[in-house]
Structures are given as C-alpha cells and as structure tokens.
Amino acid sequence: MPRTSLVPRLQPFTSTIFAEMTALAVRAGAVNLGQGFPDTDGPAGMLTAAQEAIASGVNQYPPGPGRPELRAAIAEQRARYGTQFDPDTEILVTVGATEAIAAALLALVDTGDEVVLFEPYYDSYAASVALAGGQRRVVALVEEPSGRFGLDVDALRAAITPQTKVILVNTPHNPTGTVLTRDELTAIAELCQEHDLLAITDEVYEDLLFDGREHVPLGSLPGMAERTLTISSAGKSFNCTGWKIGWVCGPAELVAAVRAAKQFLTFVGGAPFQPAVAHALRSESAWVADLRAGLADKRTRLSAGLAEAGFGVRAAEGTYFVCADVRPLGFTDGLEFCRALPDKIGVAAVPVQVFTDNPDRWRHIVRFAFCKRDEVLDEAISRLHRLH
C-alpha cells in the first residue's frame, strides 16, 4: 500500500479559495483584485537581457547555487543595507522565495520543533512547516487605532517555548500591508538572541514601501547576522512574478543546509532569467523607484475608493495590498462576502481569515490588490459603490 501520511498532514493547507475566487471571477466577468500580481511588465532592459540570454544559448541547467553574475549582483544589492554576503558561500538562488522558505524550513526544522508565525500569514508558511514535521505557534498581529496591524511583543514572548527553533518574519507583510518598524524588529531580534532562535525572513516586498518608510532587514540588526536567513526575490521588485527567481542569504553553514534540501526540490531553474535579474538589480533602480511611487498612488486610489464605498479601510504601508473591514456595509463574514462579490457586483477579493489559524478574529477583514492598471482599479471602485 502506498504511504499517505503526507495527505492528512497537508490537507488543511490545500485550500481551494484562490482557485475558487478565480473561477467565480472568470464566470462573472469580474475585476479580479484578489490576484496578487501586476498586470504590466517589468523594465524593458531586463526583458531584453532575458531575450538575449535565450538567443545566446543560456538554456541549460545553471550552476547549483545560481549563476555567478546573479549571486554577485545579489551581494551588491544586500550591501545597501550594510549587510555583507560572500556570493560563493552565503547566497543561494532559488525558484522563487516560496521555494527558499520551504527549503529553509526543511533544512533547519526537525520533527517536533516549533516555528513561530505571525498571523495572518502567507499560505505557504504553514504547509512548509508541516512538510518539515514542525509545529507552528501563531502570534496574531493587532489592529491599532491608526488602522495599522502591529506586533504584540508580549504575545510573541509568551509564544516562545523550549521547543521553539525558528521565528519566520515577513516584512513588508502580506496580506496586511504592514511594514514592521525598527523598534518592532529590534524586539524580535532581542527575543531571538535571548532564546537562541534562528530567524527566517521573507522580504520579497522590500522595495515596495510607501510614505518614506524604511525597510530594515532583521539580519542587519546587532547579533542577528549569524542566526538569520534572509529571503527575497525579483518578482515583486521588477514585475516578473512568473520568472520565479528568488534567493536566500545567510551564514555559509545555514545556506549550505538550505542548498542540500533545495537540490532535491527543483535542483535549479530559470537559467536565462538569472542574468536578466542580475541586470535589473544593478541597473534598474530608477525603474523600481517609479514603480514604488506608482504603487503608492494606486494604494491611495483604491483606499479612497473603498472608503467612499463604505468599507472600513486599514492602513497599507507597503506591498500590493490594502485590507478593509466589511462590517460597515452590513456583512459579518469575509469568506461569504468574497464568495458573493463576483456575482453581486463583478469584483473579486480574498478573505483574510483563510490566512489564519484563528479565523473568527479575522472574519471581518478582506484583502484587495492594487497592483493593477488605473483603469482596472477605477472600474472595480465603480462597481464596489453598488454595494450601498
């Protein structure tokens, strides 16, 4: 008989909510603000570099750690935060950040080890913890009077036990749009050092912060370089989510462990895209600045439209997402709201409760993506006004 132990282990994480929302949106001809990816391409120079790489024969397996020019470019990019990584031993190219997170957890977490996640969390985190045989402990972000979702340091401290091995930190944060402050990250760093914990950071939205906010890598704080794996990718910074080029940076012994797990997942990937991303990291900072400014405007545009439509809009400090409270419109359940929305007015969104262990706490919050063309956002806003 085939072994099926992984089926029940992963069953809670095989949610069909995204497929369901997409199917509902397509059937209803809805404007899909549930999908967290842009509808425009990245910088022309990067696209040309990829085309040239394909034409010149960069189509076979790249080196296991990633192409040297990309690893060097990643090291240069991380240096802007004051962190130094050896491209040969401390940087690993992965098939997107999602693989980097999974490989890091598989490499570092043993059966029964606890991993602390901040709720709501990106959906792959819990599944990856389960694949590694770990146990997750969840700390909820808290809604502040300003509309921001902040860190509850006391709750984090209480969640740490002798079995805790890893804290997984995502900032800028999906799905809430929160950017953790230096003080919040310092508190996490102090707890990691006090309890001798490892940190894995998901920083894929590191370039998409608004209103002058500062991205502070956890690994750049005192005492954290030796215990932190820093993960990021090209997809969000350069509008190339389909390329799946990510990376993990950290101490050589931790990165080597991640590589040992990663080589049996995808081995390698994205050969012709790697030199193109190297070009982007080195030469497209002005394009990224324009992207950031444009997304800040889109954030404001959608947030204002949601408020005018009657939602309780929460602060969006970064990422692609703004969260909103459906209760002012007379709804109490975000999942039911999102299932009805495509047929009701022709818009799709995502209920935040599906990213949590404690859905009742988040039942009133839904997530909208603003990484779309202005005309798409305007059409969605017009339709959302029909909810009155």
Side-chain angles (χ1 to χ4, degrees), residues 99-380:
E99 185 197 38
I101 293 161
L105 290 167
L106 286 168
L108 303 180
V109 174
D110 294 320
T111 300
D113 287 343
E114 293 177 352
V115 179
V116 175
L117 308 179
F118 296 106
E119 179 182 86
Y121 47 73
Y122 179 60
D123 56 353
S124 83
Y125 297 169
S128 295
V129 171
L131 278 170
Q135 301 293 321
R136 69 185 182 279
R137 292 183 65 83
V138 172
V139 176
L141 298 180
V142 294
E143 291 190 63
E144 299 175 349
S146 64
R148 178 181 184 269
F149 296 90
L151 175 67
D152 184 338
V153 177
D154 290 336
L156 173 58
R157 183 178 294 108
I160 296 170
T161 78
Q163 287 71 49
T164 305
K165 188 170 187 180
V166 173
I167 298 180
L168 203 169
V169 180
N170 173 212
T171 183
H173 184 263
N174 175 12
T176 66
T178 285
V179 176
L180 294 180
T181 65
R182 183 177 288 272
D183 286 347
E184 289 171 325
L185 289 161
T186 297
I188 295 171
E190 290 172 351
L191 287 169
C192 284
Q193 293 170 76
E194 178 183 344
H195 296 278
D196 194 24
L197 305 179
L198 298 172
I200 299 171
T201 67
D202 178 352
E203 304 180 18
V204 298
Y205 292 98
E206 64 184 284
D207 288 314
L208 308 183
L209 296 79
F210 311 135
D211 308 317
R213 287 182 173 81
E214 172 191 28
H215 177 64
V216 180
L218 185 63
S220 71
L221 297 181
M224 290 305 293
E226 63 268 27
R227 64 179 67 248
T228 303
L229 285 171
T230 300
I231 291 168
S232 195
S233 73
K236 307 305 191 298
S237 295
F238 302 109
N239 281 18
C240 58
T241 60
W243 288 12
K244 298 297 291 180
I245 301 295
W247 47 85
V248 55
C249 306
E253 61 274 20
L254 296 184
V255 171
V258 177
R259 182 181 173 187
K262 180 259 189 299
Q263 69 182 337
F264 297 113
L265 296 176
T266 61
F267 183 47
V268 292
F273 300 133
Q274 292 191 25
V277 171
H279 161 85
L281 288 169
R282 286 173 165 152
S283 304
E284 299 292 354
S285 58
W287 188 93
V288 173
D290 288 343
L291 173 68
R292 179 168 50 249
L295 283 169
D297 289 343
K298 293 175 186 295
R299 176 274 316 259
T300 301
R301 190 187 205 99
L302 182 56
S303 295
L306 290 168
E308 291 166 1
F311 290 86
V313 181
R314 301 300 187 252
E317 300 175 331
T319 75
Y320 287 161
F321 308 111
V322 59
C323 287
D325 187 343
V326 300
R327 291 175 299 186
L329 292 165
F331 299 91
T332 59
D333 188 285
L335 180 56
E336 291 180 3
F337 174 83
C338 289
R339 280 178 168 152
L341 203 61
D343 284 331
K344 188 177 182 68
I345 61 164
V347 175
V350 173
V352 168
Q353 67 207 69
V354 302
F355 300 107
T356 73
D357 285 12
N358 303 288
D360 286 344
R361 182 171 188 154
W362 300 93
R363 199 172 297 280
H364 58 294
I365 299 293
V366 298
R367 188 194 78 177
F368 295 90
F370 51 79
C371 51
K372 309 296 180 182
R373 289 169 287 119
D374 286 348
E375 58 268 31
V376 174
L377 296 177
D378 288 344
E379 179 60 28

Side-chain angles (χ1 to χ4, degrees), residues 58-60 62 67 70 93-95 243-245 268-277:
V58 185
N59 300 301
Q60 309 308 322
R67 288 181 62 91
L70 176 54
V93 177
T94 59
V95 180
W243 288 12
K244 298 297 291 180
I245 301 295
V268 292
F273 300 133
Q274 292 191 25
V277 171

